[in-house]
């Protein structure tokens, strides 16, 4: 796989996850075969072993459609047809519903789909290979920035000169550290337990979010009679629950899930992920850009992490393609500043909004609970505000990059 | 220009080097003194492609400049010449400042682009009988001593049916506020004394100056900054910076 790494590339992307692969495809499709794109990730030749599922917002789905990836995924994608939010204590028998969203952003277009990460990555990988992107199963070891090029050295010894190095190497980005870009943020002391369950009755495309005192418990519909669970607990409690035997885990799960969909059975592996808010102090340096989780980790409360990453992809791809089509340097400061200006406000506002929602709901105070219930009740009664929430959740507010509108670059 | 050192050029013309030393050293650092020039480049190239596409093109593809011979008068370090060459044009860059031409040549070499840089003036080019499909004078006329004489020389360089494209600053109250007060005194993105407001020309004045040479205006655009991304974009507001394309008659 590594024998054809070119000595010169227009762009080098470190990290072959959703964001890295989607950017590679967008650039290649926008700029044609003469534009060389290398994606380097040691995991590229391993089978994909991501047990998680993701909510693909309408805007992100439009991007996947524009890139020619969605057709491969659609048969495994469960549309979220409506969304119910409740606020209750664990022991409450009846969980009052305060907010319901009928889930369409446009007629016939659900505001989100649930897709298993493995399916989506496989589709992106196949598209990238078909589009002639150089896929190197190797890590970026180090880089040296010159005025016109970055000299990138891979762990395997190959070296590539490129106009731009994109770090899409995840939340603990080693390249972000090498570039000397710090982060701001905090940990919530909470972890999300993630698993997949099967249930007796059909979920009918309904997503449910119970705001339990320890934090949100989300039931997200998958294809077939299955749902993805994202279950927030304090990190200590999450560790305890994860270590329980199958019967004990099942009992804890059922206490929270309820029996509205009949008998439950665990079908997926369980895992836990620590939650925090982390945003890079800058998204760019000279001939260097952070993308996706390397730039920001937000609370997954509204399922926005992946979608924010794809908004990065759409903005960076558009800035680079617009410049390259005018014969301009696609890795220069003008392009990178446009990307950063476009993305930072959006990221910070989304980060702070999800942080605020989490702080409001991860709380045992009855006064706060009353206040938030009144708040949710008011949203329920104000159609315009509700519409804005749906569009925000679908990722189609603000100045929208072309790919997120489903348009080709 | 990082590859560029004082020693390389100190033998060329010490007086000129002294005059142009500061602005030239950093032509290609798009975060340095020439930052606004780089930011302005996408709008400038778009306008050139649009005007050339309307009047010169045969292929119908907007960003294809193949087959066009273009001269950039006052090319400086070649910041505009390079993208035009990337889009396929045959480009000649002209500037009387030797340090800038040297910087431009070195950068074109690094970019692997074939651009003909000449350390000379528009007057000398016209006297030598050179002719081009497109003549560019971008951000130049507000700096020359005799604008009308300079425009006549530029006009001579344009072949029949060819284009003369000008980019400059309008003489309005708004341009005084933005280009002088804001740019030089408040934001300090330009050194004080960069511009003399009285030397600015209105679009209609340029049109009148070039009409006797057989030119008519084919495209005019303003430039405004989009606040959300701080991009400079083509717009309808010609109150401060504007671009104008004029076509020569047969």
């Amino acid at each position: 796989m590594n024998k054809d790494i070119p000595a010169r590339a227009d762009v080098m992307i470190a990290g072959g996850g959703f964001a890295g692969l989607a950017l590679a495809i967008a650039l290649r499709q926008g700029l044609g075969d003469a534009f060389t794109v290398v994606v380097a990730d040691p995991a590229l030749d391993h089978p994909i072993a991501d047990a998680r599922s993701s909510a693909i917002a309408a805007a992100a789905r439009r991007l996947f459609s524009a890139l020619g990836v969605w057709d491969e995924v659609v048969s495994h994608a469960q549309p979220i047809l409506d969304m119910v939010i409740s606020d209750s204590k664990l022991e409450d028998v009846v969980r009052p519903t305060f907010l319901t969203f009928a889930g369409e952003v446009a007629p016939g277009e659900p505001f989100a789909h649930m897709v298993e990460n493995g399916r989506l990555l496989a589709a992106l990988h196949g598209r990238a290979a078909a589009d002639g992107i150089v896929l190197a199963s190797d890590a970026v070891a180090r880089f040296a920035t010159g005025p016109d090029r970055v000299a990138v050295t891979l762990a395997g010894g190959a070296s590539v000169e490129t106009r731009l190095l994109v770090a899409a190497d995840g939340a603990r980005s080693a390249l972000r550290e090498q570039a000397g870009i710090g982060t701001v943020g905090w940990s919530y002391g909470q972890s999300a337990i993630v698993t997949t369950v099967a249930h007796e009755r059909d979920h009918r495309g309904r997503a449910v979010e119970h705001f339990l005192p320890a934090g949100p418990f989300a039931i997200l519909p998958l294809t077939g009679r299955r749902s993805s669970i994202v279950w927030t607990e304090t990190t200590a409690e999450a560790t305890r629950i994860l270590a329980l035997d199958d019967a004990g885990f099942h009992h804890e799960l059922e206490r929270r899930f309820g029996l509205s969909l009949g008998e439950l059975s665990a079908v997926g592996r369980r895992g836990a992920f620590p939650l925090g808010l982390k945003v890079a102090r800058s998204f760019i340096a000279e001939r260097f850009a952070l993308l996706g989780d390397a730039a920001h980790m937000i609370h997954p409360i509204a399922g926005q992490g992946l979608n924010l990453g794809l908004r990065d992809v759409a903005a960076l791809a558009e800035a680079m393609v617009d410049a390259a089509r005018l014969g301009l340097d696609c890795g220069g400061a003008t392009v990178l500043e446009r990307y950063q200006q476009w993305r930072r406000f959006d990221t910070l506002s989304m980060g702070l909004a999800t942080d605020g929602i989490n702080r409001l709901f991860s709380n045992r105070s009855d006064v706060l609970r009353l206040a938030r219930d009144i708040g949710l009740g008011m949203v329920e009664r104000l159609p315009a505000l509700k519409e804005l929430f749906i569009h925000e959740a679908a990722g189609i507010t603000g100045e929208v990059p072309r790919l997120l509108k489903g348009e080709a670059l | 220009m990082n590859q560029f050192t004082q020693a390389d050029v100190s033998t060329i013309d010490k007086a000129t080097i002294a005059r142009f030393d500061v602005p030239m050293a950093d032509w290609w650092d798009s975060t340095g003194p020439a930052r606004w020039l780089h930011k302005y480049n996408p709008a400038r190239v778009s306008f050139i492609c649009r005007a050339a596409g309307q009047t010169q093109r045969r292929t119908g593809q907007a960003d294809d400049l193949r087959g066009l011979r273009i001269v950039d008068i006052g090319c400086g370090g070649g910041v505009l010449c390079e993208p035009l060459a990337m889009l396929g044009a045959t480009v000649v860059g002209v500037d009387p400042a030797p340090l800038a031409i040297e910087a431009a040549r070195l950068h074109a070499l690094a970019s692997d682009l074939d651009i003909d840089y000449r350390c000379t003036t528009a007057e000398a080019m016209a006297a030598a009988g050179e002719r081009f499909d497109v003549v560019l004078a971008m951000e130049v006329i507000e700096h020359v001593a005799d604008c009308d004489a300079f425009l006549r020389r530029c006009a001579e360089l344009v072949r029949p049916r060819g284009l003369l494209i000008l980019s400059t600053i309008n003489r309005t109250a708004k341009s005084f506020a933005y280009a002088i007060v804001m740019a030089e005194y408040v934001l300090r993105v330009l050194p004080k004394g960069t511009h003399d407001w009285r030397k600015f020309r209105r679009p209609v004045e340029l049109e009148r100056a070039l009409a006797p040479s057989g030119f008519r205006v084919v495209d005019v655009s303003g430039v405004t900054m989009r606040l959300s991304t701080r991009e400079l974009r083509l717009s309808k507001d010609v109150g401060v910076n504007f671009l104008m394309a004029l076509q020569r008659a047969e």
Side-chain angles (χ1 to χ4, degrees):
Chain A
M1 190 184 230
N2 288 348
K3 60 183 185 295
D4 297 326
I5 300 175
R8 268 198 168 196
D10 291 292
V11 62
M12 160 71 89
I13 300 166
F18 299 117
L21 288 173
L23 178 69
I25 296 165
L27 290 173
R28 186 79 174 178
Q29 292 182 353
L31 294 169
D33 291 350
F35 193 84
T36 321
V37 183
V38 180
V39 178
D41 189 328
L44 275 175
D45 60 356
H46 301 329
I48 295 149
D50 191 334
R52 287 171 290 175
S53 299
S54 292
I56 307 298
R61 190 198 48 71
R62 291 177 191 176
L63 176 140
F64 287 133
S65 293
L67 297 185
V69 171
W70 188 247
D71 284 349
E72 297 295 313
V73 177
V74 68
S75 59
H76 308 292
Q78 170 64 48
I80 297 181
L81 300 174
D82 71 355
M83 189 157 76
V84 171
I85 294 176
S86 84
D87 188 5
S88 52
K89 292 179 183 170
L90 193 50
E91 60 271 22
D92 289 352
V93 177
V94 176
R95 299 210 170 129
T97 297
F98 284 95
L99 194 58
T100 56
F101 291 103
E104 289 190 344
V105 285
E109 185 177 14
F111 75 90
H113 285 80
M114 286 300 298
V115 184
E116 284 142 291
N117 288 3
R119 301 268 188 200
L120 196 52
L121 269 174
L124 284 164
H125 198 285
R127 184 79 258 161
D131 284 347
I133 289 154
V134 181
L135 298 169
S137 47
D138 201 345
V140 170
R142 58 186 184 278
F143 62 94
T145 308
D148 297 310
R149 291 266 190 281
V150 192
V152 179
T153 308
L154 300 181
S159 56
V160 181
E161 282 217 328
T162 181
R163 290 179 180 281
L164 179 69
L165 174 61
V166 178
D169 52 345
R172 287 188 297 271
S173 168
L175 293 182
R176 183 183 64 216
E177 211 156 286
Q178 272 193 51
I181 299 174
T183 58
V184 284
W186 46 84
S187 157
Y188 293 110
Q190 291 173 318
S191 289
I193 300 170
V194 179
T195 192
T196 303
V197 296
H199 34 74
E200 238 177 350
R201 281 198 286 278
D202 193 16
H203 48 52
R204 292 180 187 168
R206 167 169 288 187
V208 180
E209 192 139 1
H210 294 304
F211 282 101
L212 298 174
F217 181 92
I219 302 167
L220 302 160
L222 293 175
T223 49
R225 286 179 182 166
R226 296 179 308 145
S227 289
S228 172
I229 304 299
V230 183
W231 167 8
T232 308
E233 293 288 346
T234 63
T235 297
E237 180 68 358
T239 310
R240 186 190 71 79
I241 291 171
L242 214 62
L244 293 172
D245 60 16
D246 285 352
F249 184 78
H250 191 264
H251 173 71
E252 292 288 354
L253 180 66
E254 208 172 59
R255 276 177 75 198
R256 289 162 177 83
F257 195 105
L259 289 166
S260 55
L261 296 177
E263 280 296 322
L264 297 178
S265 58
V267 293
R269 288 182 298 146
R270 16 172 155 139
F273 301 85
L275 302 178
L277 174 73
K278 187 153 84 176
V279 180
R281 287 183 184 275
S282 171
F283 283 16
I284 57 172
E286 196 180 355
R287 300 199 172 275
F288 183 87
L290 297 173
L291 190 78
D293 289 351
H296 43 70
M297 281 289 286
I298 63 164
H299 196 285
I301 197 162
Q304 295 297 352
L306 168 67
N307 295 299
L308 265 186
L310 294 171
R311 283 153 89 165
D312 295 349
V313 168
L316 182 55
E318 185 165 328
M320 290 177 72
V321 168
D322 283 355
R325 286 212 181 124
L326 291 174
L328 298 167
D329 180 356
C330 66
T334 308
V335 168
L336 295 180
E337 279 165 22
R338 183 177 171 205
Y339 166 59
Q340 161 140 301
Q341 295 288 348
W342 208 342
R343 293 300 305 139
R344 267 188 81 78
F345 176 74
D346 181 42
T347 304
L348 288 174
S349 55
M350 181 66 80
L352 293 176
T354 54
D355 181 63
I357 296 173
N358 184 53
R359 278 164 195 268
L360 185 59
F361 284 103
S362 296
N363 201 298
R364 289 163 199 278
S365 151
D366 282 335
V367 178
L368 256 185
R369 193 167 153 203
L370 182 66
R372 70 197 180 214
D373 290 350
I374 292 169
L376 286 181
M378 280 172 64
V379 174
E380 178 68 25
R381 284 168 187 79
L382 289 171
L385 193 57
K386 209 161 135 177
E387 183 118 322
L388 178 70
F389 271 28
I390 289 190
H391 280 82
E392 188 62 53
I396 46 181
T397 54
E399 189 191 338
V400 182
R402 296 199 290 275
L403 281 172
L404 295 183
K405 292 188 262 185
E407 296 165 15
L409 278 178
Chain B
M1 270 315 288
N2 294 30
Q3 301 105 308
F4 183 84
T5 62
Q6 202 68 39
D8 293 328
V9 291
S10 58
T11 53
I12 300 172
D13 179 344
K14 287 202 166 101
T16 316
I17 291 166
R19 260 172 54 218
F20 288 91
D21 198 21
V22 175
M24 276 185 290
D26 292 309
W27 280 112
W28 283 95
D29 178 359
S30 48
T31 57
R35 180 163 177 255
W36 287 95
L37 202 56
H38 287 272
K39 272 199 178 294
Y40 190 18
N41 237 6
R44 297 197 297 183
V45 178
S46 300
F47 184 81
I48 293 165
C49 288
R50 186 168 98 187
Q54 284 164 2
T55 60
Q56 309 292 309
R57 287 318 307 157
R58 299 152 293 269
T59 65
Q61 205 174 339
D63 52 1
D64 182 359
L65 299 177
R66 274 177 294 180
L68 290 182
R69 190 159 182 261
I70 301 181
V71 63
D72 183 12
I73 304 293
C75 66
V79 170
L80 180 58
C81 290
E82 287 204 7
L84 301 178
M86 282 287 293
L87 296 178
T90 304
V91 182
V92 177
V94 172
D95 203 296
L99 198 58
I101 286 294
E102 198 62 26
R105 282 180 185 147
L106 279 169
H107 198 273
L109 202 63
S111 304
D112 205 13
L113 288 171
D114 188 12
I115 298 171
D116 180 2
Y117 286 112
R118 302 186 198 174
C119 190
T120 181
T121 59
E123 286 80 355
M125 296 280 287
E130 295 264 7
R131 290 293 178 272
F132 296 89
D133 299 307
V134 181
V135 174
L136 306 174
M138 315 295 270
E139 293 78 51
V140 172
I141 59 173
E142 64 270 27
H143 298 289
V144 300
D146 184 345
C147 179
D148 288 354
F150 175 77
L151 286 175
R152 281 195 296 275
R153 293 289 91 75
C154 290
E156 288 170 26
L157 289 168
V158 182
R159 70 153 170 79
R161 300 194 56 76
L163 279 182
L164 173 60
I165 300 182
L166 306 169
S167 164
T168 188
I169 306 173
N170 204 341
R171 195 172 70 256
T172 60
K174 194 173 172 185
S175 76
F176 184 79
Y178 280 72
I180 309 281
V181 180
M182 286 295 280
E184 294 182 16
Y185 291 87
V186 182
L187 301 174
R188 295 184 189 169
V189 294
L190 294 175
K192 279 177 201 166
T194 299
H195 290 124
D196 176 354
W197 186 76
R198 288 163 302 179
K199 280 191 167 183
F200 292 169
R201 288 286 179 279
R202 296 195 174 122
V204 65
E205 293 167 351
L206 298 177
E207 192 175 357
R208 276 196 212 117
L210 286 156
S213 308
F215 283 81
R216 64 179 186 90
V217 175
V218 290
D219 202 351
V220 181
S221 177
V223 180
T224 46
M225 193 200 287
R226 183 184 272 200
L227 282 175
S228 59
T229 56
R230 298 199 192 144
E231 287 168 82
L232 293 172
R233 294 213 167 181
L234 297 179
S235 76
K236 291 199 172 95
D237 178 6
V238 296
V240 187
N241 289 84
F242 69 93
L243 296 132
M244 181 180 251
L246 304 104
Q247 187 172 23
R248 184 171 186 165
E250 286 288 357

